[in-house]
Amino acid sequence: TTEDIQGNQQDALTVQFSRTGTDYNTADEEIKSLSAYRFENGILKEVFSTLPVNGTLTCQLVPEQMRGTVYFLANGEHFTGSTGIQPEATTEADFLNIKGTAEAMMENGFLMTGQTVLQADETLVAVGLKRSVASAIAQGGTIPPIITAAITV
């Protein structure tokens, strides 16, 4: 199912974001929107859209299971909205190969991505967000897959 924050808040995983590779002082580098995608055994299990991020760059996530890999996309709603991402249907490989233009990567502020591998009994994780646009611009507009442009998998 596609859900925003769900379940009991005491079961929530607190995600603390940091921004790596730049000073992030401009409005383009602000987190304006945040979504998360939990994969387990190579298949998308959950989509968390419109996650609220507070002023200390944290959010609460309540996954159905505390296992698998969660990918975070900040300012990426224009990218993923038209790609047909569906729980139980989208593979991790397909998700990691989503492509777009440099313009789309900057439409709602710079697209930033990060990931974490969930562990049982975890209550706090730190996730570094990286700007995907730097890779695109450095390659003269030839866009590598958006997720792998910023995340080493």
Side-chain angles (χ1 to χ4, degrees), residues 13-150:
L13 175 66
T14 300
V15 183
Q16 174 69 58
F17 295 100
S18 64
R19 300 178 192 142
T20 57
T22 185
D23 59 11
Y24 290 86
N25 288 326
T26 71
D28 286 336
E29 295 165 329
E30 176 183 332
I31 297 175
K32 297 175 183 172
S33 65
L34 181 69
S35 55
Y37 304 83
R38 186 180 70 85
F39 288 83
E40 193 176 323
N41 299 319
I43 301 295
L44 179 62
K45 295 297 183 180
E46 293 179 271
V47 176
F48 301 88
S49 56
T50 62
L51 289 169
V53 178
N54 67 26
T56 61
L57 296 178
T58 61
C59 79
Q60 301 290 308
L61 187 69
V62 184
E64 290 177 4
Q65 301 288 325
M66 284 296 291
R67 60 179 175 245
T69 301
V70 178
Y71 296 93
F72 295 91
L73 270 68
N75 308 329
E77 69 278 356
H78 296 291
F79 254 169
T80 57
S82 62
T83 58
I85 295 172
Q86 294 293 320
E88 301 298 336
T90 302
T91 67
E92 192 169 4
D94 288 343
F95 180 78
L96 292 174
N97 282 305
I98 295 171
K99 296 183 182 189
T101 65
E103 292 79 22
M105 290 176 131
M106 296 182 282
E107 190 169 342
N108 187 38
F110 288 128
L111 173 71
M112 295 178 281
T113 60
Q115 74 176 43
T116 189
V117 176
L118 298 177
Q119 305 292 323
D121 301 324
E122 214 167 29
T123 59
L124 174 68
V125 295
V127 174
L129 292 175
K130 292 185 182 179
R131 225 173 48 187
S132 295
V133 177
S135 299
I137 293 171
Q139 295 181 26
T142 302
I143 310 301
I146 63 163
I147 306 300
T148 55

